């Protein structure tokens, strides 16, 4: 509260938010432990459910505004509705269900809360006369065979879109347990009229079902007094998210090198941008798919990527970079919370240049980035210098064993370029090496596998044909060994960042301009 420095305030804000996330998780674990031990004893008092929900909704105003989500509350013909609940624990039920709705509802979506009453004349139990809270969203929905499982402890939805938002799998389990302690029920289902899910909470009206020791007689004035305190506590927990966006100071980098940050967590991405922007020009993406498209059009000097992300994860991004002969020289640093040795090995095997485990030391990360960029610069300078001197030195025509081997490999590949069944086994047989030996040699000399090397040569030749010959795209595809036009188009765009049609058109325009 005392600092006015915007960078420090942003950093403190990140610290505070994450501390609150840890605290909420610990409190949930403590509640689960109490439930397991049978030591969760509720005290019921009469509250106005309509105002209670309005109070809870205030906590999510910022999230709704930030994601441009329509957040509404309908209570037709009910100006108020008295129910008997334990205020502190019923609060947790609504907070968890709404948090879930906001987590899985995309930007520009919609979340609606409806309160009504119901009467089941064919039911003789406690829920014959009940209050019903319905929370609907326009999120990803729930797989039909997993609707009931979402209330199981530690169960998490497995979905590419939600990798980055995966929680602990205890929130909804805690919800069901607390609803049952309120003598009610909670069910989840997919919406029938549109995409999204619907959570329905029912609790009995009146207090006839409660035991004497469960009822806490609280004066109306006292209930009204504690409601603002609950709201203030929740608002304080969200304070760094609710305060106005702190303007970011534009920092001029000391270098013309630029680094691409790929991270789906806003806090971590903004922190990395802030810490690295003084040393490098920075661009950022929220997932691997966005990043790969940007890398193809504007290759960075280094890629700093998280591993677990939606759309395309960091391992897949790294693999695609290292398999593409046009960009596989770019260093890739992977950031991840996975600290097992096998996870590190997996990252290094696909070609990552460095692997940093979260929480990372910023000084070590900065040194790693600096060293990788500097090493690439020295390597480039070495080759450039050697080439510059080439004209002054009398050439001695001798080929190394590796050069001779590569020349032979290229001759064989070009000979069979139009043969779609040509593969690494056939290459090894004609070159006169075992499949293992040819794989090891190609990996050593080109840093990619034999299959990828053959595919890259096919695509390179296809690009030449599209550029220099007046051939249609299907003819080029078949001439370079692709059996289907769709496969050719996908592979071509993966390597060059544009479709064959766009590539051909751009080259035609360039030739006309000339």
């Amino acid at each position: 509260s005392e600092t006015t420095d915007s960078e420090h305030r942003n950093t403190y804000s990140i610290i505070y938010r994450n501390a609150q996330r840890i605290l909420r998780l610990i409190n949930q674990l403590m509640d689960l432990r109490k439930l397991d031990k049978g030591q969760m004893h509720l005290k019921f008092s009469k509250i106005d459910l309509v105002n209670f929900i309005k109070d809870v909704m205030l906590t999510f105003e910022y999230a709704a505004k930030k994601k441009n989500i329509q957040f509404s509350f309908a209570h037709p013909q009910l100006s108020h509705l008295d129910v008997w609940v334990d205020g502190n624990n019923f609060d947790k039920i609504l907070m968890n269900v709404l948090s879930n709705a906001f987590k899985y509802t995309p930007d520009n979506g919609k979340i609606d809360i409806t309160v009504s009453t119901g009467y089941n004349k064919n039911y003789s139990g406690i829920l014959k006369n009940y209050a019903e809270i319905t929370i609907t969203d326009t999120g990803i929905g729930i797989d039909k065979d997993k609707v009931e499982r979402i209330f199981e402890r530690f169960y998490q939805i497995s979905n590419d879109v939600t990798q980055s938002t995966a929680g602990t799998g205890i929130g909804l389990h805690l919800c069901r347990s607390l609803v049952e302690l309120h003598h009610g029920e909670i069910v989840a289902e997919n919406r029938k009229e549109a995409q999204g899910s619907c959570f329905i909470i029912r609790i009995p009206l009146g207090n006839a079902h409660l035991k004497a020791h469960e009822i806490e007689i609280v004066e109306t004035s006292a209930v009204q007094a504690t409601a603002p305190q609950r709201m203030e506590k929740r608002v304080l927990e969200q304070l760094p998210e609710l305060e106005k966006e702190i303007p970011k100071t534009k920092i001029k980098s000391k270098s013309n090198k630029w680094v691409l940050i790929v991270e789906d967590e806003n806090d971590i991405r903004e922190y990395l941008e802030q810490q690295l922007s003084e040393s490098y020009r920075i661009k950022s993406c929220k997932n691997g798919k966005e990043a790969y498209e940007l890398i193809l059009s504007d290759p960075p000097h280094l890629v700093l990527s998280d591993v677990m992300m939606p759309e395309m994860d960091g391992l897949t991004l790294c693999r695609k970079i290292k398999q593409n002969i046009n960009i596989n020289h770019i260093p890739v640093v992977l950031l991840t919370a996975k600290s097992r040795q096998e996870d590190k090995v997996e990252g290094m095997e696909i070609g990552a240049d460095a692997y940093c485990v979260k929480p990372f030391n910023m000084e070590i990360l900065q040194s790693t980035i600096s060293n990788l960029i500097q090493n690439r610069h020295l390597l480039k300078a070495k080759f450039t210098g050697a080439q510059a001197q080439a004209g002054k030195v009398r050439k001695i025509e001798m080929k190394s064993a590796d050069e001779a081997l590569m020349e032979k490999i290229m001759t064989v590949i070009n000979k069979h370029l139009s043969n779609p069944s040509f593969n690494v086994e056939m290459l090894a047989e004609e070159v006169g090496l075992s499949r293992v030996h040819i794989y090891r040699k190609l990996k050593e000399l080109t840093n990619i596998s034999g299959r990828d090397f053959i595919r890259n040569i096919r695509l390179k030749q296809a690009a030449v044909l599209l550029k220099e010959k007046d051939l249609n795209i299907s003819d080029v595809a078949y001439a370079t060994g692709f059996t289907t036009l769709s496969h050719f188009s996908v592979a071509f765009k993966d390597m060059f960042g544009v479709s064959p049609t766009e590539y051909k058109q751009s080259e035609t325009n360039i030739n006309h301009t000339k």
Side-chain angles (χ1 to χ4, degrees):
S1 63
E2 295 175 3
T3 185
T4 56
D5 183 272
S6 62
E7 285 187 22
H8 287 159
R9 285 181 64 80
N10 275 324
T11 304
Y12 297 155
S13 195
I14 293 169
I15 295 169
Y16 187 84
R17 274 200 297 275
N18 284 285
Q20 289 300 330
R21 285 170 66 184
I22 293 169
L23 181 59
R24 283 194 290 274
L25 178 58
I26 291 170
N27 286 336
Q28 285 183 334
L29 291 170
M30 293 293 288
D31 286 340
L32 285 175
R33 187 64 174 158
K34 285 181 182 178
L35 286 164
D36 288 344
K37 291 286 187 180
Q39 295 174 347
M40 177 73 80
H41 305 299
L42 305 189
K43 288 292 184 181
F44 293 80
S45 56
K46 186 167 68 173
I47 65 162
D48 174 12
L49 185 59
V50 172
N51 282 325
F52 190 90
I53 291 174
K54 287 179 180 178
D55 167 23
V56 172
M57 287 178 69
L58 291 173
T59 309
F60 295 91
E61 279 186 351
Y62 177 80
K65 184 179 178 182
K66 189 173 182 180
K67 297 182 72 175
N68 196 30
I69 288 175
Q70 295 180 45
F71 190 30
S72 65
F73 177 33
H75 42 98
Q77 301 178 338
L78 289 172
S79 58
H80 74 279
L81 177 62
D82 290 335
V83 293
W84 286 80
V85 297
D86 181 313
N88 287 327
N89 284 297
F90 198 72
D91 177 282
K92 294 171 186 174
I93 296 167
L94 295 179
M95 289 287 287
N96 265 309
V97 176
L98 284 171
S99 293
N100 214 57
F102 274 92
K103 182 189 293 185
Y104 296 114
T105 299
D107 293 359
N108 306 311
K110 191 175 181 182
I111 297 174
D112 298 315
I113 306 174
T114 306
V115 167
S116 60
T117 58
Y119 180 75
N120 190 344
K121 62 181 181 180
N122 298 320
Y123 186 68
S124 58
I126 293 173
L127 278 173
K128 188 179 184 72
N129 198 18
Y130 57 85
E132 182 175 282
I133 304 167
T134 304
I135 298 173
T136 60
D137 62 58
T138 57
I140 60 172
I142 312 165
D143 290 345
K144 289 182 180 179
D145 58 334
K146 296 173 183 174
V147 169
E148 188 59 28
R149 292 201 65 194
I150 63 171
F151 292 106
E152 292 178 11
R153 186 181 297 191
F154 304 127
Y155 179 76
Q156 294 170 261
I157 292 175
S158 177
N159 188 299
D160 289 342
V161 177
T162 60
Q163 277 186 9
S164 61
T165 53
T168 55
I170 62 175
L172 289 178
H173 174 77
L174 178 62
C175 275
R176 169 171 278 185
S177 300
L178 290 174
V179 168
E180 288 172 351
L181 283 178
H182 279 83
H183 308 282
E185 66 178 9
I186 179 170
V187 293
E189 57 189 36
N190 283 310
R191 296 176 63 182
K192 295 179 178 64
E193 75 286 0
Q195 181 177 324
S197 56
C198 174
F199 284 78
I200 302 166
I201 302 165
R202 299 186 184 98
I203 53 170
L205 290 171
N207 64 358
H209 58 285
L210 300 175
K211 298 174 183 176
H213 69 272
E214 292 179 319
I215 296 175
E216 186 177 35
I217 304 298
V218 182
E219 295 182 9
T220 306
S221 58
V223 174
Q224 291 172 343
T226 56
Q229 290 173 10
R230 283 196 306 273
M231 184 185 78
E232 182 183 4
K233 177 176 178 291
R234 286 199 301 270
V235 170
L236 282 172
E237 287 181 0
Q238 302 289 327
L239 185 59
E241 295 178 11
L242 289 170
E243 63 188 5
K244 291 181 180 178
E245 293 287 338
I246 301 167
K248 295 176 184 175
T249 307
K250 186 73 175 177
I251 302 172
K252 189 173 181 180
S253 66
K254 298 175 182 177
S255 169
N256 62 351
K257 309 292 185 187
W258 79 273
V259 171
L260 176 62
I261 297 170
V262 194
E263 170 63 68
D264 58 311
E265 281 280 347
N266 291 337
D267 283 347
I268 298 176
R269 187 175 62 254
E270 289 172 6
Y271 177 68
L272 287 168
E273 288 175 9
Q274 174 193 320
Q275 294 295 315
L276 298 175
S277 58
E278 189 174 340
S279 302
Y280 309 101
R281 291 186 294 115
I282 301 295
K283 291 183 182 179
S284 62
C285 293
K286 294 182 180 179
N287 61 62
K289 186 172 181 289
E290 285 180 21
Y292 191 66
E293 291 172 358
L294 177 58
I295 292 166
L296 289 173
S297 60
D298 185 14
H301 291 90
L302 181 137
V303 174
L304 176 62
S305 176
D306 185 26
V307 169
M308 292 195 64
M309 296 180 293
E311 298 277 350
M312 183 194 293
D313 62 39
L315 293 176
T316 305
L317 173 63
C318 182
R319 186 180 296 111
K320 289 174 82 70
I321 291 171
K322 295 304 179 180
Q323 287 176 349
N324 191 327
I325 199 167
N326 292 324
I327 56 175
N328 63 5
H329 62 281
I330 299 172
V332 177
V333 179
L334 293 177
L335 289 175
T336 181
K338 293 183 174 182
S339 57
R340 298 182 309 164
Q341 291 299 321
E342 46 266 48
D343 294 319
K344 293 181 182 179
V345 170
E346 183 183 10
M348 302 308 286
E349 281 184 345
I350 63 171
D353 296 87
Y355 193 97
C356 296
V357 178
K358 297 177 184 176
F360 50 85
N361 180 299
M362 183 51 71
E363 290 183 7
I364 294 175
L365 179 61
Q366 286 178 326
S367 295
T368 301
I369 292 171
S370 175
N371 288 339
L372 286 170
I373 291 177
Q374 183 64 19
N375 287 341
R376 284 295 190 278
H377 178 72
L378 291 172
L379 194 61
K380 183 179 178 183
K382 177 183 176 182
F383 283 113
T384 304
Q387 290 157 2
Q389 299 299 320
K392 302 175 184 178
V393 180
R394 185 168 59 88
K395 293 181 181 178
I396 300 173
E397 297 296 335
M398 289 183 67
K399 294 180 181 178
S400 70
D402 286 342
E403 285 176 323
L405 175 62
M406 285 303 296
E407 190 173 290
K408 193 172 183 181
I409 287 172
M410 289 301 299
T411 301
V412 173
I413 292 175
N414 283 317
K415 177 183 170 184
H416 296 280
L417 200 65
S418 61
N419 181 4
S421 61
F422 180 71
N423 55 26
V424 180
E425 285 80 4
M426 293 171 68
L427 173 64
E429 186 178 344
E430 288 215 23
V431 170
L433 296 174
S434 69
R435 186 182 184 282
V436 173
H437 193 180
I438 202 90
Y439 173 86
R440 188 169 64 247
K441 263 300 174 185
L442 282 172
K443 193 75 175 174
E444 177 188 323
L445 296 172
T446 67
N447 200 34
I448 56 178
S449 68
R451 186 192 65 178
D452 292 330
F453 184 76
I454 293 171
R455 184 203 59 190
N456 286 347
I457 297 300
R458 291 185 192 277
L459 291 169
K460 284 278 190 179
Q461 185 60 35
V464 171
L465 291 173
L466 288 171
K467 181 179 179 181
E468 297 179 357
K469 303 290 184 182
D470 188 19
L471 298 171
N472 62 45
I473 292 166
S474 58
D475 287 341
V476 171
Y478 299 134
T480 51
F482 288 89
T483 54
T484 64
L485 191 57
S486 59
H487 179 213
F488 172 67
S489 297
V490 170
F492 193 93
K493 187 171 184 179
D494 211 26
M495 184 167 190
F496 294 99
V498 293
S499 68
T501 305
E502 292 167 333
Y503 184 87
K504 184 177 176 65
Q505 186 61 47
S506 65
E507 291 299 330
T508 302
N509 292 338
I510 291 170
N511 291 332
H512 285 325
T513 304
K514 289 179 180 178

